[in-house]
Amino acid sequence: MDDSVIIKIERLAKRFPVGTGEFTALHNISLTFQKGEFTGLVGPSGSGKTTLLNIIGTLDYPSEGEVEVVGRSVKGLTHKQAAYLRNYNIGFIFQTYNLLQVYTVFENIEFALLLQNHTAAQRKKAVMEALDWVGLTDKFNSKPSQLSGGECQRVAIARAMVKRPLLVLADEPSANLDAKNSHNIVQMMKRLNKELNTTFIFATHDEKVMHYLDRIITLRDGAVDEDRLILTRENQLLC
Amino acid sequence: MLAFKLAFRNLLGAGLRTWLNVTVLSIAFVVIVFYSGMLDGWNRQALTDTKNWEVGFGQLWHPNYDPFDPFCLQDAHAPITGKTKALAELGQITPILITQATIYPQGRMQNIFLKGIDPNQKIIQLPTSELNNKTDEVPAIIGKRMAEEAKIKQGDRLLVRWRDKNGTFDTREVKIVSVFNCNVQSVDNKQIWIPLKTLQQITGLENEATLFIAGSAFKNQTLTPWQFKELKYLLREIDEIIQTKKVGAGVIYGLLLSIALLAIFDTQVLSVFRRQKEIGTYIALGMTRAQVVAIFTIEGSAHSLLAILLGTLWGSPLLWHLQNSGIPMPKSVDSMGVSISENIFPVYSMGLILSTVLLVIISATIVSYFPTRKITKLRPTDALKGKIQ
Ligand SMILES: Nc1ncnc2c1ncn2[C@@H]1O[C@H](COP(=O)(O)OP(=O)(O)OP(=O)(O)O)[C@@H](O)[C@H]1O
Ligand SMILES: [Mg+2]
């Protein structure tokens, strides 16, 4: 596999058991993602965006086909190996933030590092840096319940980024946010994408998010309908 | 470490529910320590009292002697000769002669034992020196129970009738020179202690004894026809009774603990059910299912740590107080067959406390673990949706 390729999907199908039969949520999906992409999966509700993200994130498994994430086939992974892969290489951002309510902002971000072996000093440095990326340094001691939605999502971004993963998967990250906050967080992620060369894959309906994407993959009825590179001004400059 | 921190945060975050569980468990904890301590204290006191007041460091029995068969007494005596005589003179053993007798308090007939003991013996704590009092009648001492039951006071005179060795009835008046207070009912109930020499004389069993009580200096040796009964044998009944009580107490502990554990179990089931999204998040962050199970198990079992803390807080002043003032025992307990004092002083040994702490922690951990096994069957994607199944 080419070193610059981070995800390789070949003839992926995903079927869910429904009642006595099966429902095909994804079929015949073949896609390749390069390191450093800022890509969105779009498409109508029920088209399979979340399902695809979950399979890439090793939270679900393919029914058919090959999926390789950071050089590992997800098919043969044990639960433990999948957990390790997520822990070190994949950050998740959710529509509903999914912060731990009993923890402070600092601890929520630190949590991602606690599962790895770092000293307290290393963790503190990394967490403060992540807080700086998302501009929440002064809120480090707050509880999630004391934050606005936008702030919560920024904490979630910091939590996903603090371990500097190769890949961040964000499922509708702006769906619960107003326009200003939506722009804000996507810009933030775009900046991190540029600075740290982290690959971002979104599932989104949001026009405001699409505006920033380098590549838009449209899903329809569980299949790729369209896959196009966007020539933004920045992309043009790069070309 | 992480799991512990998270566990306590979650527990304290849950507020009232946690404190209810913790309070119930702390009550179970303190009651177990209290009750076991009381039984241990009782046991220790019963063993010491029985040893000090009745059995000494073992006894030498006549082969026909059976403490449960009063009719054996007629044939259960032998002369004090040779080695036994020498040992008795050295004060290593002291002879006791027992015979059946009848008294007539308030005109009612009552069967008793008449026991002869050397007034100068030092082996058991019976105040036998009182028997040295010079009176015209036969001096006698009795225990408080006997005094109450037969309504006899110190200074009273009492008509006693017995059969001598030939089976002929004989009657004498004895004078109660002292009423002693003792927890061991087997030296008190239905018996009158008089000087050994007198009893030997009036029964015609000169220089004879039914048994000997050994002192600390006595070394086990063959002394035909006498059979040595070890302390362990003589105290076995107390052990048995205390063991039975412990079984009974175990049932109470089991019930109490079950209530507390059920509450924790319930909380755990609810936690796993309600906090699926959190579980999904842990898994997405890279925790293995086993680690998530551990987090939830530790959270449940942390109830027990809080309960022990809380129990220590309110329980230790209480238990300390009881240890110093003793636990008053109702009179009715007396008839249970074990020596019991008016106040039992509980003994809280390190072993008792540690084993109770372990019991509480381990049982809470087990009931906390079972509901969390469901997590391993949860699909991470479903968990993240927080779908209620
Ligand atoms: N566990 C499941 N069991 C059965 N069907 C499922 C399951 N998960 C998803 N599906 C079905 O698969 C299809 C794709 O679902 P998915 O959640 O990926 O859609 P989506 O594109 O993310 O939609 P939305 O934009 O509404 O989030 C849907 O029709 C859905 O009903
Ligand atoms: Mg979706």
Side-chain angles (χ1 to χ4, degrees), chain A residues 49-51 171-172 203:
Chain A
K49 304 182 292 291
T50 299
T51 307
D171 196 353
E172 317 269 7

Side-chain angles (χ1 to χ4, degrees), chain A residues 15-85:
Chain A
R15 288 183 286 273
F16 291 109
V18 182
T20 51
E22 277 187 335
F23 176 81
T24 304
L26 295 173
H27 58 93
N28 199 25
I29 303 244
S30 296
L31 288 167
T32 306
F33 295 84
Q34 308 288 323
K35 272 189 189 143
E37 275 190 28
F38 202 71
T39 298
L41 304 172
V42 303
S45 182
S47 55
K49 304 182 292 291
T50 299
T51 307
L52 184 54
L53 274 192
N54 284 342
I55 291 172
I56 293 171
T58 71
L59 293 173
D60 211 340
Y61 52 89
S63 307
E64 233 175 70
E66 265 303 315
V67 176
E68 273 184 31
V69 180
V70 287
R72 301 211 54 167
S73 168
V74 301
K75 251 196 175 152
L77 290 182
T78 62
H79 282 308
K80 237 181 148 168
Q81 289 168 329
Y84 187 88
L85 183 73

Side-chain angles (χ1 to χ4, degrees), chain B residues 27-320:
Chain B
I27 292 173
F29 170 60
V30 174
V31 166
I32 292 174
V33 172
F34 161 74
Y35 205 71
S36 301
M38 188 180 92
L39 283 181
D40 284 349
W42 185 0
N43 190 13
R44 185 179 293 190
Q45 168 243 310
L47 291 175
T48 327
D49 283 353
T50 307
K51 190 174 154 211
N52 290 343
W53 284 82
E54 185 185 8
V55 300
F57 287 81
Q59 294 184 338
L60 291 157
W61 286 5
H62 186 275
N64 291 340
Y65 176 62
D66 174 356
F68 298 106
D69 175 17
F71 298 103
C72 77
L73 291 172
Q74 246 171 332
D75 307 312
H77 48 78
I80 307 165
T81 52
K83 249 183 177 168
T84 39
K85 187 165 181 240
L87 288 169
E89 276 162 6
L90 281 171
Q92 288 190 15
I93 57 176
T94 189
I96 306 283
L97 181 64
I98 308 173
T99 182
Q100 268 192 293
T102 315
I103 56 172
Y104 304 89
Q106 278 99 39
R108 264 177 296 136
M109 190 180 99
Q110 191 183 353
N111 288 320
I112 56 143
F113 294 108
L114 208 50
K115 293 189 174 176
I117 186 165
D118 176 5
N120 301 316
Q121 65 80 27
K122 297 274 180 298
I123 291 175
I124 56 173
Q125 283 179 7
L126 275 186
T128 47
S129 57
E130 303 274 357
L131 296 173
N132 284 326
N133 281 355
K134 289 274 168 285
T135 53
D136 295 337
E137 305 90 344
V138 178
I141 56 174
I142 56 171
K144 212 173 76 179
R145 284 180 190 75
M146 172 77 186
E148 275 168 18
E149 202 184 315
K151 305 205 165 50
I152 315 169
K153 302 186 304 293
Q154 187 178 344
D156 280 2
R157 287 176 176 75
L158 203 60
L159 204 63
V160 182
R161 195 168 81 131
W162 70 93
R163 282 174 195 256
D164 67 16
K165 65 174 178 188
N166 305 317
T168 356
F169 283 107
D170 203 347
T171 310
R172 263 301 172 90
E173 198 160 62
V174 302
K175 183 181 175 191
I176 307 302
V177 291
S178 173
V179 175
F180 59 85
N181 190 357
C182 152
N183 302 324
V184 186
Q185 57 168 343
S186 41
V187 297
D188 178 337
N189 246 355
K190 297 188 169 48
Q191 52 198 289
I192 295 177
W193 295 86
I194 62 172
L196 178 66
K197 282 263 161 344
T198 318
L199 186 59
Q200 287 170 338
Q201 243 167 44
I202 61 180
T203 50
L205 299 168
E206 295 285 350
N207 193 37
E208 294 207 27
T210 306
L211 56 89
F212 297 87
I213 303 172
S216 55
F218 178 76
K219 299 266 178 323
N220 188 10
Q221 51 197 282
T222 338
L223 294 164
T224 359
W226 309 100
Q227 294 172 346
F228 187 65
K229 303 290 177 189
E230 287 184 313
L231 200 54
K232 217 173 112 197
Y233 172 80
L234 297 168
L235 296 175
R236 74 198 183 286
E237 245 184 293
I238 296 177
D239 278 339
E240 276 164 23
I241 290 169
I242 296 287
Q243 280 315 316
T244 325
K245 291 205 181 308
K246 281 194 172 161
V247 172
V251 174
I252 298 175
Y253 305 162
L255 283 174
L256 251 170
L257 209 55
S258 300
I259 295 170
L261 294 177
L262 207 67
I264 295 177
F265 186 85
D266 186 50
T267 302
Q268 288 292 97
V269 172
L270 210 70
S271 278
V272 173
F273 184 71
R274 274 201 197 149
R275 290 158 60 189
Q276 293 188 36
K277 206 165 129 184
E278 184 185 334
I279 293 169
T281 308
Y282 289 139
I283 292 174
L285 285 173
M287 277 190 155
T288 61
R289 291 159 193 229
Q291 282 174 314
V292 180
V293 166
I295 281 197
F296 276 74
T297 304
I298 289 172
E299 188 177 315
S301 107
H303 280 109
S304 63
L305 300 181
L306 289 178
I308 286 160
L309 218 72
L310 183 69
T312 311
L313 224 63
W314 68 262
S316 40
L318 183 74
L319 298 190
W320 185 81

Side-chain angles (χ1 to χ4, degrees), chain A residues 164-177:
Chain A
R164 296 170 180 260
L166 290 170
L167 176 63
V168 170
L169 303 173
D171 196 353
E172 317 269 7
S174 61
N176 286 1
L177 301 176

